[in-house]
Amino acid sequence: MFGGTRSKLKHWEKAGLITAEQRSGILSYEHTRKQGKLVKDLATVAVIAIFLGVLSLVAANWYAIPSNLKILMHFALNIGVMAYILRLDGQEKPILKDICLVGLSGLFLTFIALVGQIYQLHGDIQTTLLVWLGICTPFIWFYGRTYTIALPWLGVFLITLYMNLFFYLDKTGNDDFASLILTSLTFYLPFVVLLLARIPWLQEHKPGFAQTFHRLGLYVPAIMATLSMFMFYEPFPEAQYWGTQVTIMAAGLFFVSLIFKPRAGDEQESTDLWYYLLVSGIVIMLPFCLPSLESGVLAAVVFVGYWIFIAWLGARMQSSQLMDWAIRLVILRLFVIYIEVFGGMLLTGVGLIVSGIILLVVLKNLGRLVAVGRKLVRYEIG
């Protein structure tokens, strides 16, 4: 690690980015900062070894331990971790505290499982997760701060939400109604979390939660839009609530156009987000507006057009990484189109050879193709 830093600084000095004095100062600072790191690492290894030793002893004699003592020991362990979190409260160690919160959340889950095992409580997994959320959420939201705890909490929250919805909607026996509720919820989810991420209190006191909500709200529309295009390969008949589904989605897009519409004086980022949400929403809604249409051509055209749009947004935001990934997806999708059109050729030896050569050529020149695509996108913006 340190050698890598030294090499980078040497290259930066040669390039004129830093002076020799700055290079020496950085190296001196890094050397001082890393002093004692080996001792701390070895101490950490020793503590982990002791913990694993105690854990193995308990596991080896688990069946010999009385049930009430098991619960008492687990409860004491939970209290110990909670006490340590309280001790960290107020200190400038938010990541360490959030790691402890993740551990405490796991201990709460194993405690619920232990109680259920001992007293033979036959509960469903969705109910168990719901109880776990009810216990852990107050601790997580009161003491948590960074994405270290926000990300796993949000993941478990969404899993619990959908599992309980699947469970109770399945009891209705109406698949069309269940599909209406689940699809509508998923459609509105990114817009809701983006609004939550804008809450000033959340941004100030819970920045990790705000960032996690914001990233989820950005990633989900692109994923949903991409997956929705595959619905054109297997058309579905008009469901009982087809009109209601389209109306709910259209209403969502209408409110998005109003709520996220950039105001005078807003930065370009607000305009780009508005474009992104509206176009993604339209692409998601398209298969529901054409439920009986089977068209691989339309699926391919929409896919390519959508990701060219994403590349255009990346160029506007000066995000080379986003633009390059979008162009790569377009190139790979064009190769898939070749497979779809000439799929019969793959059943022959010549077809396999030609397809393999084309794929190798595409992969070898992927960087050049991306560079050409990048120039075309920037040319369009210019």
Side-chain angles (χ1 to χ4, degrees):
M1 293 291 292
F2 189 67
T5 303
R6 187 186 299 274
S7 176
K8 287 181 180 179
L9 291 175
K10 187 177 180 179
H11 288 299
W12 293 348
E13 182 184 354
K14 287 183 178 180
L17 299 176
I18 59 175
T19 63
E21 291 77 10
Q22 289 174 328
R23 174 173 172 268
S24 300
I26 294 172
L27 290 174
S28 176
Y29 168 77
E30 289 293 322
H31 179 72
T32 303
R33 187 176 65 86
K34 293 177 182 292
Q35 284 183 343
K37 189 175 184 298
L38 178 60
V39 176
K40 292 180 181 178
D41 290 345
L42 291 176
T44 302
V45 171
V47 172
I48 293 175
I50 294 172
F51 174 77
L52 292 176
V54 173
L55 191 63
S56 63
L57 288 175
V58 173
N61 300 278
W62 184 251
Y63 289 101
I65 301 175
S67 299
N68 292 334
L69 183 58
K70 291 178 182 178
I71 295 178
L72 183 61
M73 290 170 57
H74 203 310
F75 184 76
L77 181 60
N78 286 25
I79 294 297
V81 176
M82 290 172 61
Y84 185 66
I85 292 173
L86 291 174
R87 183 181 176 184
L88 291 174
D89 192 34
Q91 300 183 22
E92 294 299 324
K93 298 179 179 179
I95 294 182
L96 177 59
K97 185 169 63 175
D98 284 357
I99 291 174
C100 292
L101 279 172
V102 173
L104 179 62
S105 301
L107 288 174
F108 273 128
L109 186 60
T110 56
F111 183 78
I112 293 172
L114 177 63
V115 172
Q117 179 189 22
I118 291 175
Y119 293 102
Q120 298 296 310
L121 302 177
H122 302 287
D124 299 313
I125 184 171
Q126 66 270 6
T127 305
T128 302
L129 289 175
L130 196 61
V131 173
W132 177 85
L133 273 178
I135 296 173
C136 293
T137 298
F139 290 96
I140 291 173
W141 274 89
F142 189 81
Y143 292 106
R145 183 175 174 83
T146 69
Y147 69 92
T148 307
I149 185 65
L151 183 60
W153 176 84
L154 182 59
V156 175
F157 174 81
L158 292 176
I159 291 173
T160 305
L161 175 63
Y162 278 93
M163 286 185 68
N164 277 274
L165 282 175
F166 272 115
F167 179 76
Y168 289 106
L169 288 173
D170 186 59
K171 290 185 175 182
T172 64
N174 191 334
D175 293 339
D176 290 339
F177 179 73
S179 176
L180 171 68
I181 298 299
L182 293 171
T183 305
S184 301
L185 174 64
T186 307
F187 184 78
Y188 276 83
L189 175 65
F191 310 137
V192 173
V193 293
L194 281 173
L195 289 175
L196 291 175
R198 290 185 168 192
I199 299 176
W201 179 89
L202 199 67
Q203 295 177 348
E204 180 180 357
H205 298 283
K206 306 290 179 183
F209 287 82
Q211 293 172 9
T212 302
F213 290 164
H214 184 73
R215 289 177 181 175
L216 178 68
L218 291 181
Y219 294 155
V220 170
I223 295 172
M224 290 175 58
T226 303
L227 294 177
S228 68
M229 301 169 201
F230 293 97
M231 297 173 67
F232 285 115
Y233 287 97
E234 293 187 8
F236 54 95
E238 294 186 8
Q240 180 181 355
Y241 301 99
W242 171 80
T244 305
Q245 181 73 81
V246 175
T247 303
I248 290 175
M249 288 182 168
L253 282 181
F254 174 73
F255 286 115
V256 166
S257 66
L258 295 179
I259 296 173
F260 291 93
K261 184 178 182 179
R263 305 294 187 267
D266 285 352
E267 298 180 357
Q268 179 183 307
E269 182 180 352
S270 300
T271 304
D272 294 338
L273 177 63
W274 188 57
Y275 289 155
Y276 168 67
L277 294 178
L278 287 180
V279 172
S280 298
I282 292 172
V283 171
I284 295 169
M285 192 172 66
L286 189 59
F288 294 91
C289 296
L290 304 169
S292 301
L293 179 63
E294 180 180 1
S295 176
V297 174
L298 181 59
V301 170
V302 174
F303 185 100
V304 172
Y306 177 74
W307 282 102
I308 289 177
F309 164 74
I310 296 297
W312 175 76
L313 282 181
R316 277 176 56 90
M317 297 184 296
Q318 298 182 352
S319 174
S320 298
Q321 185 177 13
L322 176 60
M323 186 166 50
D324 289 352
W325 274 109
I327 294 172
R328 287 190 181 99
L329 286 175
V330 171
I331 294 171
L332 292 177
R333 185 65 178 93
L334 292 176
F335 179 75
V336 173
I337 292 175
Y338 159 77
I339 298 295
E340 292 173 342
V341 174
F342 301 100
M345 290 179 57
L346 296 179
L347 300 177
T348 66
V350 175
L352 287 172
I353 293 173
V354 172
S355 301
I357 292 174
I358 292 176
L359 180 58
L360 289 174
V361 171
V362 170
L363 293 176
K364 183 178 180 180
N365 297 278
L366 187 59
R368 295 179 183 177
L369 294 173
V370 170
V372 172
R374 191 189 303 130
K375 290 180 181 179
L376 291 174
V377 172
R378 285 176 175 168
Y379 174 77
E380 290 295 330
I381 292 181

